[in-house]
Amino acid sequence: MVSAFMAEIPLTGCQNITLDADNGKVILSTVSHTEHPMLIVVLADSDALIGHLLYSVKNTAKTLANL
């Protein structure tokens, strides 16, 4: 999904997309694994803090990329 979105806009190097709505939040993040590229999708309640979510997703993506 991130790749499809990025094909439509002229940005390079995008690692995540964040959606913040009245009823919740969504983060889509790439995992740059050399053999098995992945996508992490996080769904959260509206009271979740974006900074905490992004920090956790970034650390998880880094861990998965190094497996």
Side-chain angles (χ1 to χ4, degrees), residues 2-67:
V2 172
S3 296
F5 183 77
M6 292 311 301
E8 298 294 325
I9 60 174
L11 296 176
T12 58
C14 180
Q15 297 299 310
N16 65 55
I17 296 173
T18 303
L19 303 171
D20 189 357
D22 291 339
N23 61 338
K25 296 171 175 57
V26 177
I27 296 177
L28 293 96
S29 183
T30 60
V31 177
S32 301
H33 192 281
T34 54
E35 296 178 25
H36 306 288
M38 296 172 256
L39 178 68
I40 297 173
V41 179
V42 176
L43 305 173
D45 290 333
S46 58
D47 60 346
L49 300 175
I50 291 285
H52 288 205
L53 292 173
L54 288 171
Y55 178 81
S56 295
V57 169
K58 182 177 180 178
N59 285 337
T60 301
K62 191 180 295 184
T63 299
L64 289 171
N66 291 324
L67 291 178

